[in-house]
């Protein structure tokens, strides 16, 4: 299935078949100003020993935080991930993980979010922090 939008953000037509969130199976459940929630399966996103790959956690975290920044700044803006840190607490082995993203700082030029990723047993597996730059002069072209 080709994804033409991610939350409130239109995927530009030349890139609809190239979305990493689609390849990783990320689904957005909530996309509101102070809360973005999304999930991702462990299957298909594993490291060689069978655990969920830490890079997949990073993609989920950056996806949720970037969507939150877009909701904050406006979907017509260009949002740029500036810094991402992930602390992996426990390895997810099956099912899916869910990320809950909440703002820590909402400014004019930057926004910072905490993303808590948990497994199906509600065990925290990763805590991430993302800061996005919100350049004032850059507007997104939708076509």
């Amino acid at each position: 299935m080709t994804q033409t939008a991610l939350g409130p953000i239109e995927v530009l037509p030349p890139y609809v078949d190239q979305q990493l969130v689609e390849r990783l199976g990320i689904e957005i459940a909530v996309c509101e100003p102070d809360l973005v929630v999304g999930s991702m399966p462990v299957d298909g996103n594993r490291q060689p020993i069978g655990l969920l790959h830490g890079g997949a956690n990073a993609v989920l975290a950056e996806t949720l935080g970037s969507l939150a920044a877009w909701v904050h700044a406006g979907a017509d803006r260009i949002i740029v991930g500036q810094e991402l840190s992930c602390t992996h607490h426990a390895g997810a082995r099956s099912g899916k993980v869910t990320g809950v993203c909440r703002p820590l700082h909402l400014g004019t030029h930057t926004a910072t979010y905490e993303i808590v990723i948990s497994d199906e047993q509600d065990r925290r597996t990763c805590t991430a922090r993302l800061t996005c730059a919100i350049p004032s002069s850059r507007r997104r072209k939708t076509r």
Side-chain angles (χ1 to χ4, degrees):
M1 180 170 109
T2 301
Q3 195 161 343
T4 59
L6 181 62
I9 307 307
E10 177 189 357
V11 176
L12 296 178
Y15 310 116
V16 294
D17 294 328
Q18 300 177 33
Q19 297 305 297
L20 184 58
V21 295
E22 191 171 313
R23 290 188 177 127
L24 270 62
I26 294 173
E27 295 181 355
I28 305 303
V30 177
C31 192
E32 298 173 352
D34 291 327
L35 177 66
V36 178
V37 179
S39 62
M40 170 180 68
V42 173
D43 284 350
N45 295 315
R46 297 178 190 275
Q47 55 166 277
I49 62 168
L51 299 174
L52 177 65
H53 196 289
N57 275 331
V59 172
L60 178 60
E62 184 145 356
T63 298
L64 300 180
S66 294
L67 280 174
W70 260 315
V71 170
H72 166 64
D76 66 326
R77 302 294 294 276
I78 292 177
I79 302 302
V80 181
Q82 195 169 24
E83 180 179 14
L84 173 66
S85 67
C86 297
T87 301
H88 305 289
H89 307 292
R93 297 181 180 278
S94 63
K96 68 178 182 175
V97 293
T98 299
V100 176
C101 174
R102 296 186 188 277
L104 296 174
H105 164 76
L106 297 173
T108 305
H109 301 291
T110 63
T112 302
Y113 299 90
E114 179 183 63
I115 303 95
V116 174
I117 300 174
S118 303
D119 65 13
E120 291 180 322
Q121 289 73 44
D122 205 28
R123 181 178 61 144
R124 184 182 293 220
T125 58
C126 178
T127 303
R129 181 175 144 159
L130 175 69
T131 297
C132 291
I134 307 169
S136 58
S137 63
R138 295 175 70 192
R139 295 278 176 190
R140 214 170 158 260
K141 295 177 183 166
T142 58
R143 299 268 173 209

